[in-house]
Amino acid sequence: MNQSDWRERNRPARLERRLSFADYDHTRDFLEDMAGVSERLGYYPDISFGRTHVSITIHAEDGAECVDPARRALAGEVDALFARSQGASS
Amino acid sequence: MNQSDWRERNRPARLERRLSFADYDHTRDFLEDMAGVSERLGYYPDISFGRTHVSITIHAEDGAECVDPARRALAGEVDALFARSQGASS
């Protein structure tokens, strides 16, 4: 997980990252890949998107003071997906 | 557009609706259909989603006091997609 790319917030504890894409096709491809990761991990972060941006919020488990390692691993997977996506659009 | 299902808000002028789905597959199918509508109309509403909910925000054009008929037509298409989706999951 690229610490610098994610904002760590409290009340409730969560990680947030906003990603920008070249066009809607790249946004859709990323969301499609994210769906696969969510299903594999059985965890579904809150996702907001428009034509060329996606914002992801990974919440800590209910009542937890901070985001646990398993969900931080999802943040790492998001970083990897996004890096691949950027490689594809450059 | 089902007036009762959408919340009309101001500052900025927009329409909002939250939709619930039986499971993630239905959420994904709906989002896929929405992507097709967005591309056909060339308008990309702000969409937030989790495993079984989707929230859609249709903004008025920049500076407009209210959402114009063309974007209200998108709200109508969202209603139709959602109704079909509910039919598919019952």
Side-chain angles (χ1 to χ4, degrees), chain A residues 34-47 56-59 71 74, chain B residues 23-25 27-28 49-53:
Chain A
M34 265 307 300
V37 169
S38 291
E39 287 186 311
R40 176 162 45 82
L41 298 182
Y43 173 68
Y44 302 84
D46 287 336
I47 296 178
I56 294 176
T57 302
I58 298 173
H59 288 276
R71 292 185 185 197
L74 171 61
Chain B
D23 53 44
Y24 189 58
D25 284 342
T27 302
R28 276 187 80 178
F49 69 95
R51 193 172 69 83
T52 56
H53 70 84

Side-chain angles (χ1 to χ4, degrees), chain B residues 8-21:
Chain B
E8 189 122 22
R9 294 194 183 273
N10 295 313
R11 291 186 300 281
R14 62 197 187 278
L15 295 173
E16 292 176 354
R17 186 176 180 186
R18 180 181 171 99
L19 308 167
S20 296
F21 296 88

Side-chain angles (χ1 to χ4, degrees), chain B residues 2-80:
Chain B
N2 305 353
Q3 200 70 34
S4 59
D5 293 326
W6 292 83
R7 274 185 309 239
E8 189 122 22
R9 294 194 183 273
N10 295 313
R11 291 186 300 281
R14 62 197 187 278
L15 295 173
E16 292 176 354
R17 186 176 180 186
R18 180 181 171 99
L19 308 167
S20 296
F21 296 88
D23 53 44
Y24 189 58
D25 284 342
H26 282 91
T27 302
R28 276 187 80 178
D29 291 344
F30 175 82
L31 289 171
E32 198 60 34
D33 293 343
M34 265 306 302
V37 170
S38 291
E39 288 186 310
R40 175 163 46 83
L41 298 182
Y43 172 68
Y44 302 84
D46 287 336
I47 296 177
S48 301
F49 69 95
R51 193 172 69 83
T52 56
H53 70 84
V54 174
S55 295
I56 294 176
T57 302
I58 297 173
H59 288 276
E61 285 197 274
D62 290 347
E65 290 289 317
C66 69
V67 176
D68 60 82
R71 292 186 185 197
R72 285 181 190 274
L74 171 62
E77 295 216 30
V78 169
D79 296 339

